[in-house]
Amino acid sequence: MSTFKNSEGAVIVDRMIVVIQENKQFLSDIDGLIGDGDHGVNMNKGFTMCREELDNTPGNLAFSALSLSKILIMKIGGSMGPLYGKMFRGFAKELEGKEEIDIHAMAAALEAMLSSVQSISPAKPGDKTLIDTLSPAVAAFKTAASEGKEFEVALDEMKSAAISGRDSTRDMVAQLGRASRLGERSRGVLDAGASSCCLILETLADTTKELLES
Amino acid sequence: MQKFINDPSLVVDEMLQGYVNAHPDLVSHTENDRVLKYKHAPVEGKVGIVTGGGSGHKPAFVGYIGKNMCDAVAVGEIFTSPPAQMFLDAIKAADSGKGVAILYGNYAGDNMNVSMAMEEAEDEGIRVKKVVANDDVPSAPLSEREKRRGVAGEILMWKVGGARAAMGASLDEVIAASQKAIDNTRSIGVGLSGCTIPDVGHPNFSVDPGKMEVGIGHHGEPGIEVADLETAAEVARRMVDVVLPDLPFEKEDEVVLLLSGLGSTPVMELYILYRDVIAKLEEKGLRVYLSYVGNYFTSLEMAGATLTLMKLDEELKQCIDYEADSVGLRQFQRNIH
């Protein structure tokens, strides 16, 4: 059965930091269409602070994700700081103490990401939020795992579900958050949170696959 | 942008630097440069009063730091909730050992960041409780009152909570009085123009000439309807007709009336609107105990006004009459009732 080591998994968080830094402008630009245009700036601020923290105090995947979580919760503010902070906290807590991470551990960690976000946010699928990316992605991974599919296949299916989830927000009218002020005017553009969540999950899938191959 | 700014990304920090220098007798910096406190906080033997929220609402929130008002305030980016660390540092700055009441408005980000800060504070042994203001009537139906946003009614909540704390009340008593204050308070806004977050550079929405947005929120959240602009008397009637039945306010009720501009509406117009609001209230048999008219809770340079009414009982009257000294609200002890 394919697994990877928690001790080698910190590269997943490293890559997430890079992808957020590279997409700072893109995320702010799409946020600017229906929000206040600071999503990329705030995400980049939090993930970059985490880079500095991990350079000083490196660790395994669970540790890195927990460091990211603490910074997002305590330092970033708005709604995205606590939402992503909780998401990574759930992920980290589920993986803490595990030496090897297999498909079932990953399924549990993804499930914890979703339930942690839902513990502080009333957002439902269809509200035009990051839940529209996260919820179908987690469901796709869990389904693949329960059907006995390979770890790599489950990751691919999670990634595809994340992308189509993100794309589904284009035709939605925002029900929560700043964009909900625009009502019908929020239709026609991607949700910024759903987009950043997709980048994070795509990076999780791609990097995990590399770890499984090595 | 027709604005007095240097760097659009530094407006909050530069504003705070100016603010503390302008009011050294009332406020001071803390170790966290986004947390300001009352110069004498923590006040020995007094429950601490903390609030916070996004910037752009001057004089809220820092303007209500002062004697018998708020002890410490967490200051977010424009229209963005401060992170949990700032709320936590504000709680610490306000705590004299008697506990801290955190009194803030119902917004998703603030709810999450406050609740995380409260968990951390409790872990550090500080007693902390909260009241969440939800006075904005048009933001959700009465049956879903817990979804309503907090607007200018927050000021009356701070006034009551701050006074009750200054009288020596326990944390539970301060929380109960503040909750009663907001439960007895209802608001409605009418917007006449949008506003521009400096770092965004363009208005976040617009109100067409000759129109008004009835029920608008403090960040431009859509209201009940976009209608043709009416006379002040007709606008006053609309506002009163939304606010009164919701509590409901009834004949013989004594009320505090707060009429706040949203930023760029001349105070002259506020007094015209005030004249028409009190005429409507008198028609309904309500008695105005005390009025506040001015720019108390704004939304950058939005044009428009928020009407807030609070129904009084003996305890709330005593709190409203209590001496207060802050930049946004300054009054001598009143000995009226």
Side-chain angles (χ1 to χ4, degrees):
Chain A
M1 186 194 260
S2 55
T3 67
F4 67 96
K5 288 190 189 316
N6 204 339
S7 59
E8 290 169 4
V11 65
I12 293 173
V13 175
D14 294 343
R15 296 274 179 82
M16 287 176 182
I17 293 169
V18 171
V19 80
I20 292 298
Q21 288 172 332
E22 287 174 351
N23 285 278
K24 173 187 166 187
Q25 193 61 44
F26 165 71
L27 292 173
S28 281
D29 286 348
I30 55 172
D31 186 36
L33 296 173
I34 55 170
D36 57 358
D38 65 356
H39 184 52
V41 173
N42 287 333
M43 290 292 280
N44 179 61
K45 186 172 147 198
F47 279 66
T48 299
M49 284 165 86
C50 179
R51 177 71 276 148
E52 290 162 17
E53 176 75 23
L54 293 176
D55 287 343
N56 292 327
T57 324
N60 63 16
L61 173 57
F63 177 88
S64 298
L66 196 60
S67 297
L68 178 58
S69 150
K70 285 178 181 165
I71 288 167
L72 293 174
I73 287 175
M74 295 309 287
K75 308 282 190 193
I76 296 308
S79 292
M80 283 303 169
L83 286 169
Y84 274 121
K86 278 281 186 184
M87 187 173 108
F88 282 108
R89 185 181 165 80
F91 181 80
K93 287 286 171 188
E94 193 59 43
L95 296 180
E96 241 173 23
K98 290 193 167 65
E99 270 186 41
E100 294 281 336
I101 297 167
D102 63 8
I103 187 169
H104 303 296
M106 183 60 83
L110 283 164
E111 175 65 31
M113 279 176 138
L114 179 61
S115 60
S116 300
V117 172
Q118 287 171 331
S119 73
I120 54 164
S121 168
K124 302 179 300 296
D127 286 348
K128 199 174 179 111
T129 70
L130 68 89
I131 288 288
D132 291 305
T133 300
L134 184 59
S135 177
V138 171
F141 190 92
K142 281 169 60 191
T143 303
S146 68
E147 287 169 353
K149 289 182 179 166
E150 294 290 324
F151 201 163
E152 289 86 347
V153 175
L155 288 166
D156 282 338
E157 292 183 2
M158 184 267 279
K159 180 174 162 178
S160 307
I163 292 169
S164 51
R166 173 200 64 196
D167 291 344
S168 73
T169 63
R170 191 185 300 276
D171 287 327
M172 292 175 185
V173 174
Q175 302 297 322
L176 286 171
R178 197 177 302 274
S180 66
R181 291 168 199 155
L182 298 172
E184 195 60 36
R185 286 170 281 170
S186 65
R187 201 190 290 280
V189 292
L190 291 175
D191 177 64
S195 302
S196 56
C197 187
C198 190
L199 290 171
I200 287 165
L201 293 177
E202 284 182 78
T203 306
L204 174 62
D206 292 344
T207 316
T208 303
K209 278 176 75 179
E210 284 176 34
L211 287 166
L212 293 173
E213 281 161 18
S214 63
Chain B
M1 280 183 290
Q2 291 286 94
K3 287 180 186 290
F4 294 123
I5 53 174
N6 296 306
D7 180 339
S9 65
L10 293 178
V11 290
V12 174
D13 298 291
E14 293 186 356
M15 173 270 292
L16 289 178
Q17 288 158 15
Y19 190 84
V20 173
N21 283 322
H23 308 293
D25 51 331
L26 273 177
V27 295
S28 62
H29 286 293
T30 64
E31 282 175 21
N32 187 327
D33 57 13
R34 286 300 188 87
V35 175
L36 297 190
K37 71 174 190 84
Y38 176 43
K39 192 181 170 190
H40 303 293
V43 179
E44 198 53 43
K46 187 181 89 71
V47 169
I49 305 289
V50 164
T51 190
S55 292
H57 301 297
K58 287 288 140 308
F61 297 80
V62 292
Y64 298 101
I65 295 173
K67 187 180 179 190
N68 305 338
M69 292 290 288
C70 299
D71 292 291
V73 167
V75 184
E77 286 299 325
I78 303 242
F79 294 176
T80 300
S81 174
Q85 184 73 54
M86 289 181 202
F87 279 112
L88 176 62
D89 290 345
I91 291 167
K92 289 180 180 172
D95 181 43
S96 72
K98 207 176 172 184
V100 172
I102 176 155
L103 313 177
Y104 69 101
N106 190 23
Y107 295 91
D110 293 320
N111 283 327
M112 290 189 275
N113 290 306
V114 165
S115 98
M116 290 180 193
M118 286 175 69
E119 282 174 22
E120 288 285 329
E122 282 159 5
D123 285 352
E124 296 185 27
I126 300 174
R127 281 189 72 215
V128 53
K129 294 192 172 187
K130 67 177 180 181
V131 176
V132 187
N134 54 357
D135 53 305
D136 186 27
V137 174
S139 55
L142 185 58
S143 57
E144 296 175 278
R145 195 176 148 237
E146 75 285 353
K147 290 188 180 171
R148 287 181 177 173
R149 299 180 291 258
V151 287
E154 290 175 44
I155 296 163
L156 302 179
M157 171 177 71
W158 300 324
K159 177 77 186 77
V160 168
R164 205 69 191 80
M167 292 171 194
S170 68
L171 177 58
D172 287 338
E173 289 166 339
V174 170
I175 289 290
S178 307
Q179 185 68 56
K180 179 164 71 178
I182 207 67
D183 285 345
N184 280 15
T185 298
R186 296 291 186 276
S187 298
I188 180 176
V190 173
L192 303 181
S193 81
C195 54
T196 298
I197 297 171
D199 216 6
V200 176
H202 57 81
N204 58 348
F205 68 101
S206 59
V207 179
D208 291 335
K211 299 284 182 185
M212 62 178 178
E213 189 149 343
V214 181
I216 200 162
H218 269 186
H219 315 83
E221 295 94 329
I224 309 165
E225 71 166 302
V226 177
D228 290 336
L229 181 56
E230 299 167 337
T231 63
E234 285 163 329
V235 173
R237 177 189 54 76
R238 273 185 188 264
M239 291 174 123
V240 168
D241 284 351
V242 170
V243 166
L244 290 196
D246 196 82
L247 190 64
F249 294 87
E250 289 165 331
K251 204 171 165 164
E252 305 296 321
D253 281 349
E254 285 185 282
V255 298
V256 171
L257 193 171
L258 167 62
L259 187 66
S260 176
L262 287 176
S264 65
T265 288
V267 174
M268 178 181 80
E269 291 171 34
L270 295 179
Y271 278 107
I272 294 170
L273 194 55
Y274 174 80
R275 163 191 176 269
D276 293 323
V277 167
I278 54 164
K280 288 287 158 203
L281 296 183
E282 277 166 15
E283 249 174 51
K284 307 271 184 185
L286 274 73
R287 291 193 298 208
V288 177
Y289 182 75
L290 179 63
S291 298
Y292 299 104
V293 182
N295 289 313
Y296 283 90
F297 204 129
T298 61
S299 303
L300 296 171
E301 76 279 34
M302 202 190 293
T306 307
L307 171 65
T308 300
L309 293 180
M310 179 168 79
K311 178 178 167 175
L312 293 169
D313 65 6
E314 272 310 305
E315 183 189 24
L316 294 177
K317 269 189 197 175
Q318 279 179 19
C319 294
I320 287 296
D321 285 343
Y322 210 74
E323 177 195 354
D325 188 10
S326 66
V327 172
L329 199 157
R330 188 166 270 148
Q331 67 184 53
F332 292 113
Q333 175 69 39
R334 301 172 76 244
N335 298 302
I336 307 294
H337 76 283

